[in-house]
Amino acid sequence: MTTIQVGLYFLLGAYILFSIFFCTLVLFSTFADSVFIRYLSSTHLGKPVVYHLQQVVEWLEGPKCGICLAQYWSTGDMAPRVMNCGHTYCGSCIEIFAEQKDGMVICPFCTRTHFCNTIHPLPFFSENHLLIILCSSLITVNLWKCQTCRKKYSSQDVSRTPRVYSTCGHTSCEACVESDFTQKKRVVCLTCEGRSGGITVVAENWKPHVPINYAIRDLLKE
Ligand SMILES: [Zn+2]
Ligand SMILES: [Zn+2]
Ligand SMILES: [Zn+2]
Ligand SMILES: [Zn+2]
């Protein structure tokens, strides 16, 4: 056999293995609630297999809106929008909330009230940029780093908690936001420096202005 033939056999083998893996995933996500999968996840050996397949399916499907459970898109009405309270929903759900309460959006999670326009509510809520990047790329959130300090975000370590500037929708880690505030005594986005709608606020406490980016924190699995 020549080197080329060996190479071709190798490629064919890799292709077959990948196809089997992909078919398993498709079958798994289709019959995720079947009696067989439920039986498998109750057995000692099947449990970790089912768990890991679930993780892969979840990762391939991408993040979803917590209200309508539809997958987020990177543009349009289905893009994720973050509110001042740090909670994220799809644009479509926010439009429905605004219409129901005449330009008032009450966060279904923490019940904080946000005021906007009934007909065009979306410009009042910034897109959650980090979540959009995660929707449209193959990078998992666990590998994503704070763009300022290059350290990974964490749901356990408070200083690495993802914080979102709700006026522009950019995310940085808690330690970076805090040290910038301590130096400058004002809140200004570390990514866009307030250029994309971020306002500079002089405040005693920066935390209410840069809430936790819950959608990102909840995606972190540690
Ligand atoms: Zn939604
Ligand atoms: Zn909220
Ligand atoms: Zn940082
Ligand atoms: Zn910004």
PDB file of all heavy atoms in Angstrom, residues 141-160:
ATOM      1  N   VAL A 141     -18.631  28.276  26.440  1.00  0.00           N
ATOM      2  CA  VAL A 141     -18.480  29.385  27.390  1.00  0.00           C
ATOM      3  C   VAL A 141     -17.351  29.117  28.392  1.00  0.00           C
ATOM      4  O   VAL A 141     -16.682  30.029  28.840  1.00  0.00           O
ATOM      5  CB  VAL A 141     -19.825  29.694  28.084  1.00  0.00           C
ATOM      6  CG1 VAL A 141     -20.209  28.612  29.070  1.00  0.00           C
ATOM      7  CG2 VAL A 141     -19.781  31.033  28.796  1.00  0.00           C
ATOM      8  N   ASN A 142     -17.094  27.843  28.690  1.00  0.00           N
ATOM      9  CA  ASN A 142     -16.048  27.518  29.650  1.00  0.00           C
ATOM     10  C   ASN A 142     -14.653  27.906  29.160  1.00  0.00           C
ATOM     11  O   ASN A 142     -13.730  28.019  29.943  1.00  0.00           O
ATOM     12  CB  ASN A 142     -16.072  26.039  29.991  1.00  0.00           C
ATOM     13  CG  ASN A 142     -17.266  25.695  30.854  1.00  0.00           C
ATOM     14  OD1 ASN A 142     -18.385  25.978  30.462  1.00  0.00           O
ATOM     15  ND2 ASN A 142     -17.045  25.151  32.015  1.00  0.00           N
ATOM     16  N   LEU A 143     -14.505  28.083  27.844  1.00  0.00           N
ATOM     17  CA  LEU A 143     -13.205  28.465  27.296  1.00  0.00           C
ATOM     18  C   LEU A 143     -13.108  29.977  27.092  1.00  0.00           C
ATOM     19  O   LEU A 143     -12.061  30.494  26.764  1.00  0.00           O
ATOM     20  CB  LEU A 143     -12.976  27.772  25.952  1.00  0.00           C
ATOM     21  CG  LEU A 143     -12.828  26.256  25.998  1.00  0.00           C
ATOM     22  CD1 LEU A 143     -12.727  25.709  24.590  1.00  0.00           C
ATOM     23  CD2 LEU A 143     -11.600  25.870  26.792  1.00  0.00           C
ATOM     24  N   TRP A 144     -14.242  30.672  27.262  1.00  0.00           N
ATOM     25  CA  TRP A 144     -14.255  32.084  26.963  1.00  0.00           C
ATOM     26  C   TRP A 144     -13.601  32.886  28.082  1.00  0.00           C
ATOM     27  O   TRP A 144     -13.885  32.691  29.247  1.00  0.00           O
ATOM     28  CB  TRP A 144     -15.684  32.568  26.707  1.00  0.00           C
ATOM     29  CG  TRP A 144     -15.640  33.897  26.055  1.00  0.00           C
ATOM     30  CD1 TRP A 144     -15.778  35.087  26.659  1.00  0.00           C
ATOM     31  CD2 TRP A 144     -15.370  34.152  24.683  1.00  0.00           C
ATOM     32  NE1 TRP A 144     -15.617  36.099  25.745  1.00  0.00           N
ATOM     33  CE2 TRP A 144     -15.366  35.546  24.525  1.00  0.00           C
ATOM     34  CE3 TRP A 144     -15.143  33.349  23.567  1.00  0.00           C
ATOM     35  CZ2 TRP A 144     -15.141  36.150  23.293  1.00  0.00           C
ATOM     36  CZ3 TRP A 144     -14.916  33.945  22.353  1.00  0.00           C
ATOM     37  CH2 TRP A 144     -14.920  35.335  22.220  1.00  0.00           C
ATOM     38  N   LYS A 145     -12.723  33.799  27.712  1.00  0.00           N
ATOM     39  CA  LYS A 145     -11.993  34.571  28.717  1.00  0.00           C
ATOM     40  C   LYS A 145     -12.434  36.023  28.740  1.00  0.00           C
ATOM     41  O   LYS A 145     -12.872  36.548  27.718  1.00  0.00           O
ATOM     42  CB  LYS A 145     -10.503  34.535  28.399  1.00  0.00           C
ATOM     43  CG  LYS A 145      -9.914  33.155  28.572  1.00  0.00           C
ATOM     44  CD  LYS A 145      -8.470  33.137  28.101  1.00  0.00           C
ATOM     45  CE  LYS A 145      -7.887  31.761  28.263  1.00  0.00           C
ATOM     46  NZ  LYS A 145      -7.242  31.251  27.081  1.00  0.00           N
ATOM     47  N   CYS A 146     -12.249  36.674  29.892  1.00  0.00           N
ATOM     48  CA  CYS A 146     -12.480  38.106  30.011  1.00  0.00           C
ATOM     49  C   CYS A 146     -11.495  38.787  29.063  1.00  0.00           C
ATOM     50  O   CYS A 146     -10.304  38.484  29.091  1.00  0.00           O
ATOM     51  CB  CYS A 146     -12.253  38.548  31.449  1.00  0.00           C
ATOM     52  SG  CYS A 146     -12.117  40.324  31.653  1.00  0.00           S
ATOM     53  N   GLN A 147     -11.988  39.704  28.232  1.00  0.00           N
ATOM     54  CA  GLN A 147     -11.142  40.320  27.217  1.00  0.00           C
ATOM     55  C   GLN A 147     -10.112  41.287  27.810  1.00  0.00           C
ATOM     56  O   GLN A 147      -9.170  41.669  27.140  1.00  0.00           O
ATOM     57  CB  GLN A 147     -12.003  41.038  26.169  1.00  0.00           C
ATOM     58  CG  GLN A 147     -12.922  40.112  25.382  1.00  0.00           C
ATOM     59  CD  GLN A 147     -12.162  39.065  24.575  1.00  0.00           C
ATOM     60  OE1 GLN A 147     -11.559  39.364  23.544  1.00  0.00           O
ATOM     61  NE2 GLN A 147     -12.164  37.811  25.033  1.00  0.00           N
ATOM     62  N   THR A 148     -10.289  41.675  29.069  1.00  0.00           N
ATOM     63  CA  THR A 148      -9.337  42.592  29.697  1.00  0.00           C
ATOM     64  C   THR A 148      -8.191  41.846  30.375  1.00  0.00           C
ATOM     65  O   THR A 148      -7.027  42.149  30.136  1.00  0.00           O
ATOM     66  CB  THR A 148     -10.074  43.506  30.709  1.00  0.00           C
ATOM     67  OG1 THR A 148     -11.173  44.108  30.033  1.00  0.00           O
ATOM     68  CG2 THR A 148      -9.165  44.590  31.255  1.00  0.00           C
ATOM     69  N   CYS A 149      -8.507  40.857  31.229  1.00  0.00           N
ATOM     70  CA  CYS A 149      -7.437  40.191  31.991  1.00  0.00           C
ATOM     71  C   CYS A 149      -7.069  38.829  31.414  1.00  0.00           C
ATOM     72  O   CYS A 149      -6.114  38.201  31.885  1.00  0.00           O
ATOM     73  CB  CYS A 149      -7.860  40.042  33.446  1.00  0.00           C
ATOM     74  SG  CYS A 149      -9.305  38.997  33.666  1.00  0.00           S
ATOM     75  N   ARG A 150      -7.810  38.366  30.403  1.00  0.00           N
ATOM     76  CA  ARG A 150      -7.560  37.082  29.743  1.00  0.00           C
ATOM     77  C   ARG A 150      -7.699  35.895  30.688  1.00  0.00           C
ATOM     78  O   ARG A 150      -7.104  34.848  30.479  1.00  0.00           O
ATOM     79  CB  ARG A 150      -6.177  37.031  29.053  1.00  0.00           C
ATOM     80  CG  ARG A 150      -5.854  38.183  28.130  1.00  0.00           C
ATOM     81  CD  ARG A 150      -6.785  38.335  26.972  1.00  0.00           C
ATOM     82  NE  ARG A 150      -6.863  37.146  26.126  1.00  0.00           N
ATOM     83  CZ  ARG A 150      -7.811  36.973  25.186  1.00  0.00           C
ATOM     84  NH1 ARG A 150      -8.738  37.884  25.002  1.00  0.00           N
ATOM     85  NH2 ARG A 150      -7.821  35.888  24.452  1.00  0.00           N
ATOM     86  N   LYS A 151      -8.479  36.064  31.761  1.00  0.00           N
ATOM     87  CA  LYS A 151      -8.729  34.930  32.649  1.00  0.00           C
ATOM     88  C   LYS A 151     -10.133  34.389  32.376  1.00  0.00           C
ATOM     89  O   LYS A 151     -11.017  35.138  31.967  1.00  0.00           O
ATOM     90  CB  LYS A 151      -8.605  35.369  34.113  1.00  0.00           C
ATOM     91  CG  LYS A 151      -7.157  35.578  34.514  1.00  0.00           C
ATOM     92  CD  LYS A 151      -7.042  35.923  35.976  1.00  0.00           C
ATOM     93  CE  LYS A 151      -5.584  36.200  36.325  1.00  0.00           C
ATOM     94  NZ  LYS A 151      -5.426  37.280  37.272  1.00  0.00           N
ATOM     95  N   LYS A 152     -10.321  33.095  32.640  1.00  0.00           N
ATOM     96  CA  LYS A 152     -11.609  32.458  32.349  1.00  0.00           C
ATOM     97  C   LYS A 152     -12.688  32.919  33.318  1.00  0.00           C
ATOM     98  O   LYS A 152     -12.421  33.140  34.487  1.00  0.00           O
ATOM     99  CB  LYS A 152     -11.466  30.943  32.464  1.00  0.00           C
ATOM    100  CG  LYS A 152     -10.822  30.298  31.263  1.00  0.00           C
ATOM    101  CD  LYS A 152     -10.852  28.803  31.456  1.00  0.00           C
ATOM    102  CE  LYS A 152      -9.800  28.123  30.590  1.00  0.00           C
ATOM    103  NZ  LYS A 152      -9.588  26.746  31.025  1.00  0.00           N
ATOM    104  N   TYR A 153     -13.919  33.022  32.805  1.00  0.00           N
ATOM    105  CA  TYR A 153     -15.056  33.340  33.668  1.00  0.00           C
ATOM    106  C   TYR A 153     -15.351  32.146  34.548  1.00  0.00           C
ATOM    107  O   TYR A 153     -15.022  31.010  34.212  1.00  0.00           O
ATOM    108  CB  TYR A 153     -16.288  33.670  32.823  1.00  0.00           C
ATOM    109  CG  TYR A 153     -16.181  34.990  32.113  1.00  0.00           C
ATOM    110  CD1 TYR A 153     -16.202  35.066  30.728  1.00  0.00           C
ATOM    111  CD2 TYR A 153     -16.062  36.165  32.845  1.00  0.00           C
ATOM    112  CE1 TYR A 153     -16.092  36.282  30.067  1.00  0.00           C
ATOM    113  CE2 TYR A 153     -15.953  37.392  32.195  1.00  0.00           C
ATOM    114  CZ  TYR A 153     -15.972  37.443  30.814  1.00  0.00           C
ATOM    115  OH  TYR A 153     -15.869  38.642  30.178  1.00  0.00           O
ATOM    116  N   SER A 154     -15.990  32.426  35.699  1.00  0.00           N
ATOM    117  CA  SER A 154     -16.304  31.340  36.621  1.00  0.00           C
ATOM    118  C   SER A 154     -17.628  31.607  37.323  1.00  0.00           C
ATOM    119  O   SER A 154     -17.997  32.755  37.572  1.00  0.00           O
ATOM    120  CB  SER A 154     -15.180  31.221  37.650  1.00  0.00           C
ATOM    121  OG  SER A 154     -15.608  30.477  38.757  1.00  0.00           O
ATOM    122  N   SER A 155     -18.349  30.534  37.643  1.00  0.00           N
ATOM    123  CA  SER A 155     -19.589  30.690  38.411  1.00  0.00           C
ATOM    124  C   SER A 155     -19.311  30.460  39.896  1.00  0.00           C
ATOM    125  O   SER A 155     -20.160  30.698  40.734  1.00  0.00           O
ATOM    126  CB  SER A 155     -20.650  29.713  37.913  1.00  0.00           C
ATOM    127  OG  SER A 155     -20.189  28.390  38.046  1.00  0.00           O
ATOM    128  N   GLN A 156     -18.104  29.992  40.225  1.00  0.00           N
ATOM    129  CA  GLN A 156     -17.742  29.684  41.607  1.00  0.00           C
ATOM    130  C   GLN A 156     -16.919  30.812  42.231  1.00  0.00           C
ATOM    131  O   GLN A 156     -17.153  31.222  43.350  1.00  0.00           O
ATOM    132  CB  GLN A 156     -16.900  28.393  41.663  1.00  0.00           C
ATOM    133  CG  GLN A 156     -17.539  27.217  40.973  1.00  0.00           C
ATOM    134  CD  GLN A 156     -18.767  26.714  41.700  1.00  0.00           C
ATOM    135  OE1 GLN A 156     -18.743  26.570  42.909  1.00  0.00           O
ATOM    136  NE2 GLN A 156     -19.853  26.487  40.973  1.00  0.00           N
ATOM    137  N   ASP A 157     -15.921  31.300  41.477  1.00  0.00           N
ATOM    138  CA  ASP A 157     -15.022  32.339  41.954  1.00  0.00           C
ATOM    139  C   ASP A 157     -15.681  33.704  41.705  1.00  0.00           C
ATOM    140  O   ASP A 157     -15.878  34.109  40.560  1.00  0.00           O
ATOM    141  CB  ASP A 157     -13.702  32.203  41.161  1.00  0.00           C
ATOM    142  CG  ASP A 157     -12.680  33.251  41.559  1.00  0.00           C
ATOM    143  OD1 ASP A 157     -13.024  34.149  42.350  1.00  0.00           O
ATOM    144  OD2 ASP A 157     -11.547  33.174  41.058  1.00  0.00           O
ATOM    145  N   VAL A 158     -16.044  34.400  42.793  1.00  0.00           N
ATOM    146  CA  VAL A 158     -16.778  35.669  42.683  1.00  0.00           C
ATOM    147  C   VAL A 158     -16.043  36.682  41.804  1.00  0.00           C
ATOM    148  O   VAL A 158     -16.647  37.377  40.993  1.00  0.00           O
ATOM    149  CB  VAL A 158     -17.058  36.262  44.085  1.00  0.00           C
ATOM    150  CG1 VAL A 158     -17.752  37.611  43.983  1.00  0.00           C
ATOM    151  CG2 VAL A 158     -17.912  35.309  44.897  1.00  0.00           C
ATOM    152  N   SER A 159     -14.701  36.763  41.942  1.00  0.00           N
ATOM    153  CA  SER A 159     -13.961  37.769  41.180  1.00  0.00           C
ATOM    154  C   SER A 159     -13.966  37.492  39.674  1.00  0.00           C
ATOM    155  O   SER A 159     -13.696  38.380  38.872  1.00  0.00           O
ATOM    156  CB  SER A 159     -12.522  37.863  41.692  1.00  0.00           C
ATOM    157  OG  SER A 159     -11.866  36.646  41.456  1.00  0.00           O
ATOM    158  N   ARG A 160     -14.304  36.262  39.290  1.00  0.00           N
ATOM    159  CA  ARG A 160     -14.375  35.926  37.851  1.00  0.00           C
ATOM    160  C   ARG A 160     -15.801  35.843  37.337  1.00  0.00           C
ATOM    161  O   ARG A 160     -16.056  35.314  36.268  1.00  0.00           O
ATOM    162  CB  ARG A 160     -13.652  34.591  37.570  1.00  0.00           C
ATOM    163  CG  ARG A 160     -12.200  34.574  37.960  1.00  0.00           C
ATOM    164  CD  ARG A 160     -11.336  35.433  37.054  1.00  0.00           C
ATOM    165  NE  ARG A 160     -10.115  35.795  37.752  1.00  0.00           N
ATOM    166  CZ  ARG A 160      -9.641  37.032  37.846  1.00  0.00           C
ATOM    167  NH1 ARG A 160     -10.250  38.019  37.258  1.00  0.00           N
ATOM    168  NH2 ARG A 160      -8.557  37.272  38.515  1.00  0.00           N
TER     169      ARG A 160
END
